[in-house]
Amino acid sequence: MKQPSILVVEDESAIADTILYALCTDGMHAEHCTLGSEALIRLRAQQQDLVVLDVGLPDINGFEVCRTLRTFSDVPVIFLTARHEEIDRIVGLEIGADDYVVKPFSPRELAARVRVILRRARQAEPVAALVMPAAEQAEAFRHDPEGARVAYWGQWLDLTRYEYRLLALLVQHPGRIYARAQLMDLVWHDALDTVDRIVDTHVKTLRAKLREVDPMGEPIRTHRGMGYSLEV
Ligand code: CA
């Protein structure tokens, strides 16, 4: 397997050095830059396997960097944050992060999280492996596992990685109720410290995208105390 390449975006050189050291010791190839603008230039030019992104950068803050990054790339992102108030935004994943660590942190712990996320990214296929015959899929939806996309009433949806995996799973088993914990296992398997809110947040953003196609349809149903299902 090729050596994973990680871009570390951190303006404090002492912190960056310990991260680079921990990642390299773990057999990863890590590069470093200190500015958000520079990170975006590099990420446009060269594909990375993962980005470690500090929230507090001297030019553009990490949230903005991530938001821009998501317009052209699905590369996994781990945020470094010094402030507990920022965690809610990160955990809500509204900005498309995969995980976070709070400063001060142990570089070993960060390296472990990087490994978990790289493994998770490589395992992105299980949803496709579960594909059901077309007749058993919910009719309003069309799942194209090879293109990793889902159409709703004939319209391909613009989904983030986890929104796609969540919807693909529901579409393949219409009517089946999935508990949050099951969704965590099947969609976010291997995630460390993930919380129920991650599922809820993704259901919310997914519903908003489905509503754009069909304002009246509410195909994802909440079963109070039980979980979610797809009803069509
Ligand atoms: Ca900083």
Side-chain angles (χ1 to χ4, degrees):
M1 200 181 306
K2 107 179 194 322
Q3 194 184 28
S5 88
I6 318 291
L7 180 64
V8 178
V9 191
E10 165 62 77
D11 57 309
E12 284 162 76
S13 58
I15 297 177
D17 286 348
T18 60
I19 296 173
L20 292 172
Y21 179 78
L23 295 177
C24 294
T25 309
D26 249 22
M28 295 178 239
H29 172 76
E31 290 175 23
H32 170 227
C33 64
T34 54
L35 295 178
S37 50
E38 190 190 343
L40 288 169
I41 290 169
R42 286 214 204 182
L43 288 159
R44 278 184 205 277
Q46 198 189 357
Q47 218 187 327
Q48 301 283 342
D49 294 306
L50 188 142
V51 182
V52 175
L53 182 57
D54 185 29
V55 175
L57 294 168
D59 58 342
I60 319 170
N61 85 46
F63 292 140
E64 284 309 312
V65 172
C66 189
R67 206 169 278 132
T68 306
L69 176 62
R70 284 290 173 255
T71 62
F72 63 88
S73 167
D74 248 358
V75 63
V77 171
I78 299 182
F79 272 110
L80 303 178
T81 173
R83 299 170 50 186
H84 282 269
E85 310 88 84
E86 288 166 347
I87 295 172
D88 269 357
R89 285 184 74 190
I90 300 171
V91 169
L93 299 183
E94 55 179 292
I95 27 152
D98 291 77
D99 203 351
Y100 68 92
V101 291
V102 181
K103 294 176 180 178
F105 57 87
S106 118
R108 304 293 312 152
E109 181 201 345
L110 175 66
R113 282 169 188 253
V114 167
R115 267 200 312 271
V116 165
I117 289 180
L118 290 174
R119 198 178 341 128
R120 211 201 295 168
R122 277 199 301 270
Q123 285 175 346
E125 302 88 71
V127 168
L130 288 170
V131 179
M132 307 279 287
E136 292 183 46
Q137 290 188 20
E139 240 175 46
F141 292 91
R142 196 165 116 224
H143 179 208
D144 165 22
E146 272 154 33
R149 55 186 188 159
V150 177
Y152 184 45
W153 298 121
Q155 202 168 311
W156 295 111
L157 299 165
D158 182 19
L159 303 174
T160 66
R161 179 156 38 118
Y162 292 116
E163 285 169 356
Y164 160 71
R165 298 187 59 183
L166 178 60
L167 184 58
L169 182 71
L170 294 173
V171 163
Q172 286 160 37
H173 306 279
R176 172 163 165 189
I177 300 172
Y178 286 95
R180 285 191 184 82
Q182 286 175 312
L183 292 172
M184 296 296 302
D185 280 352
L186 292 164
V187 177
W188 284 266
H189 43 78
D190 267 358
L192 291 171
D193 288 348
T194 40
V195 291
D196 288 355
R197 266 186 299 165
I198 288 186
V199 175
D200 297 343
T201 307
H202 281 76
V203 167
K204 197 170 140 201
T205 58
L206 205 43
R207 278 178 170 150
K209 289 181 181 181
L210 296 172
R211 220 172 287 131
E212 277 171 28
V213 177
D214 177 5
M216 303 310 286
E218 276 294 343
I220 301 179
R221 203 168 128 196
T222 305
H223 300 266
R224 230 161 252 301
M226 290 161 70
Y228 296 102
S229 70
L230 191 90
E231 309 290 334
V232 280

